[in-house]
Amino acid sequence: MHSMSPMTTALLHETNVHDDIKCSKLIITLPDDKKAFANLTVYFKNEPPKQAYCGQEEVGCGHINALYDDLTLQVYFLNTDKVICVYRCPTAPMKGFAGAGALVPMATQNLPEVLAQVQSCKESLAAVGVSGNLVDVEKCSD
């Protein structure tokens, strides 16, 4: 199964930042009939990495359902040129704001235009009503 370029997290909502996390990497399969599969690996400073898997189904342009076990998140994408700017909203039984941030391709993460788009992602997320601080986080390297 073919996948998109490995992505790494570059920006997160401050409530999702934890001191013990080193970085995270996401690999998404190429969509087939509006469905894809994602593999998230979170690397920690002092413990082995952990993986999570989810299915994704396109609902509309820039909007997918992310399916984790019996949990569904509504995920919205903004500014998808060189950076995936994303926020997600919980559905029942979850409560509260589930998170926001930016993903960048690992191969181009340090290019000036990519770094500039990460900063513009902060502005775009604020414009759609994401409250609180968005912070830069350590990115995984190849």
Side-chain angles (χ1 to χ4, degrees):
M1 187 162 283
H2 296 286
S3 64
M4 297 166 57
S5 170
M7 310 290 286
T8 184
T9 306
L11 178 70
L12 280 176
H13 194 267
E14 65 184 347
T15 58
N16 296 116
V17 177
H18 303 282
D19 289 339
D20 57 336
I21 294 176
K22 181 179 178 192
C23 66
S24 61
K25 178 170 101 174
L26 181 71
I27 298 175
I28 304 171
T29 61
L30 292 174
D32 180 21
D33 192 28
K34 297 187 175 189
K35 294 181 181 175
F37 183 77
N39 173 4
L40 173 68
T41 305
V42 178
Y43 296 91
F44 296 89
K45 293 176 181 169
N46 297 310
E47 59 185 273
K50 293 184 180 167
Q51 291 190 323
Y53 303 93
C54 79
Q56 299 180 336
E57 183 173 6
E58 183 181 4
V59 176
C61 184
H63 176 198
I64 67 167
N65 284 333
L67 310 166
Y68 296 88
D69 299 322
D70 60 350
L71 176 68
T72 301
L73 291 170
Q74 302 297 314
V75 182
Y76 300 90
F77 295 91
L78 311 167
N79 299 348
T80 56
D81 178 23
K82 297 182 186 335
V83 170
I84 297 177
C85 189
V86 61
Y87 66 98
R88 59 186 190 195
C89 302
T91 55
M94 291 180 64
K95 297 183 187 307
F97 187 77
L103 299 167
V104 297
M106 289 175 64
T108 60
Q109 65 179 297
N110 294 317
L111 294 178
E113 59 268 28
V114 172
L115 298 172
Q117 283 192 15
V118 169
Q119 294 310 307
S120 69
C121 176
K122 289 180 184 179
E123 297 164 15
S124 296
L125 288 168
V128 298
V130 173
S131 59
N133 290 330
L134 292 158
V135 295
D136 296 316
V137 294
E138 183 178 342
K139 299 182 292 282
C140 291
S141 57
D142 291 332

